[in-house]
Every structure is written in C-alpha cells, then in structure tokens.
Amino acid sequence: SNPLKFFVKILKNNEKERHPEILRVLKSVCRMGIKAIAINQELIHRLLLKDEEALNTAVIDTHMDEKLFKFIAPIENGQGEVRVVDQCFDPAGRCIEFPNEMAYLESQLDLFSELCYGRNYLCKRSIEERFPIIGLKENIWNTHLPLDIRASLTRLMLTIYIDAEPRSELKCPDLSRAMEHTEFSKALQWDKDYIFLLENVGEAQDILEERYKDTIMAPFRIH
C-alpha cells in the first residue's frame, strides 16, 4: 500500500500541474489481464474518493446530467464550473481550453472505470453517483466531444451499468463450432429427410435413394 499512498500524495501536492501519467500507473494495478485486483481497487478508491483532501486536490470534480457535462476548474476569480463540451472543445472535438485538465480528466475517467472493473460494488456505489446512466448515454454520442473522451465514457458505462447484476456472461460450449451456411443447410435438410422418412416409410425409399445417390453414404434400405 505504501507505493500507492506515495503516488496519491504526489497528486495531492501537484494540483495545479496535474500528472495524468500517475493516474495511468494507478489504473495499471487495478487488474491483471481479465482478473480484477480488488484489494488495489479498494485501496485506491479509499485514498482518492474517501479522503477529503484528495477529493479537493487530486480529483477533478465533475457533474453530469442528460444535458451538461461540467467540471470545477480554477478561473480568474477563484473556482467555477466549466462546461466540457462547448467551453473546452470546438465543434471538431479539438481542445481549445484547459488542455491539462482535459488530459487529466480523460485519465481520471479511465481510472474510475478500472476501479469498477470486475463488479467491484464498493467502488461502483460512489462513482455511479457522479455519472448517471442518462448523462453517460447522451455524452457518449455527443460528437462535439473528442473520441478519446467518448471512449473513456463508454468504458465507464460498461463497468458501472452493463457488467452488473443480474446480467451474466454466456459462454459457448467447448465442443461447438460455427457452421458455414452450406453446412447448416445440409444439416437442416437431413433433419427434414429424417422426419419425412419416419412419417412416410413406404414412399421415402425411392426419394432418398435418388437424392443421395452421389454421396459417399450407401442408400437407405428399409426392411
């Protein structure tokens, strides 16, 4: 835990400079491959989101609803709300204001999604309050936001709302394989022929022999 505390301390002591690369380091220890590391997730969650000083210095305070995506930023007369969409980016999605904050915000969104990865409900409870599902849906499809931000919001949607109870992943059986269309058609035809054979034993013999005379299978013989 000491290395994680060290990195969070750097974030708290460098509020003005912002260091998104440190958020990426914290993000990297939240899972190994596809397996979440809950002890690291919950420690980072406690150090960043349950500590008053960290909330005021190391975390960009965001507010989101179905129409607005805002964050608190330093301005000339102190601090104020800044609208991410129309104040930070032009219609083409290029950053025109607060570039440091936007780079940090993107890394912060990615870190939040990793904290929730693997259905970590302890982290989800506090993070989903900042990002309601309606706000995420609207901003994911907002073309005035750059693709990187929209991708980060999509990952948040996935880990907070989609990968959640009662949904469960369905796995394909190990012995299954995808059939080509022609193979599927042949299999379907065999099933139909089998049913026809059972229902019309008397007249099925000649029909089946004619249909499959060129196959490697011997003709049916009804005794």
Side-chain angles (χ1 to χ4, degrees):
S1 65
N2 285 336
L4 297 181
K5 292 179 180 178
F6 171 74
F7 285 124
V8 171
K9 184 177 180 180
I10 294 177
L11 294 176
K12 292 194 290 188
N13 293 337
N14 292 272
E15 177 185 4
K16 293 183 179 180
E17 289 81 7
R18 299 294 186 190
H19 291 283
E21 68 277 4
I22 293 182
L23 292 182
R24 291 193 287 271
V25 171
L26 297 177
K27 169 191 168 185
S28 69
V29 300
C30 289
R31 62 164 154 158
M32 176 67 71
I34 61 172
K35 184 175 178 59
I37 306 176
I39 188 171
N40 287 347
Q41 290 174 317
E42 291 164 15
L43 178 57
I44 295 170
H45 173 261
R46 177 166 57 84
L47 293 173
L48 279 179
L49 298 176
K50 295 300 180 180
D51 180 88
E52 193 68 27
E53 182 185 359
L55 278 173
N56 293 329
T57 56
V59 177
I60 291 182
D61 190 13
T62 58
H63 302 276
M64 177 182 285
D65 57 31
E66 64 272 20
K67 295 182 179 180
L68 293 175
F69 181 18
K70 302 178 291 185
F71 72 98
I72 305 299
I75 55 178
E76 291 183 1
N77 299 322
Q79 287 191 326
E81 289 188 342
V82 177
R83 295 188 300 277
V84 172
V85 177
D86 53 353
Q87 289 183 255
C88 298
F89 299 98
D90 65 14
R94 292 185 294 263
C95 186
I96 54 177
E97 292 287 346
F98 302 100
N100 291 340
E101 283 77 7
M102 289 301 95
Y104 193 86
L105 177 61
E106 180 186 337
S107 294
Q108 180 175 295
L109 294 173
D110 289 338
L111 173 60
F112 285 174
S113 68
E114 288 299 298
L115 292 179
C116 299
Y117 181 82
R119 303 194 178 189
N120 191 316
Y121 292 103
L122 178 66
C123 299
K124 279 186 180 185
R125 275 195 295 271
S126 57
I127 293 175
E128 69 182 352
E129 297 173 357
R130 298 167 174 265
F131 302 98
I133 188 170
I134 294 177
L136 282 175
K137 180 176 71 70
E138 292 297 322
N139 284 282
I140 284 170
W141 291 103
N142 191 329
T143 56
H144 290 281
L145 286 172
L147 289 176
D148 291 341
I149 295 287
R150 294 166 64 189
S152 298
L153 294 175
T154 303
R155 282 189 285 269
L156 264 180
M157 172 75 85
L158 176 64
T159 56
I160 295 177
Y161 296 105
I162 297 177
D163 185 16
E165 294 288 350
R167 299 180 183 87
S168 60
E169 182 180 3
L170 293 179
K171 296 183 178 179
C172 294
D174 293 337
L175 298 179
S176 68
R177 69 183 184 92
M179 298 180 66
E180 297 290 341
H181 178 70
T182 53
E183 292 177 315
F184 178 77
S185 299
K186 288 180 180 178
L188 190 62
Q189 185 62 50
W190 278 98
D191 286 343
K192 291 179 180 178
D193 289 343
Y194 179 71
I195 295 174
F196 178 80
L197 177 62
L198 293 179
E199 294 177 348
N200 306 275
V201 174
E203 55 185 296
Q205 175 72 52
D206 295 336
I207 295 175
L208 293 176
E209 282 189 359
E210 177 63 25
R211 177 171 295 169
Y212 299 108
K213 64 182 179 181
D214 296 327
T215 66
I216 60 173
M217 298 185 65
F220 290 94
R221 295 297 174 187
I222 308 298
H223 301 286

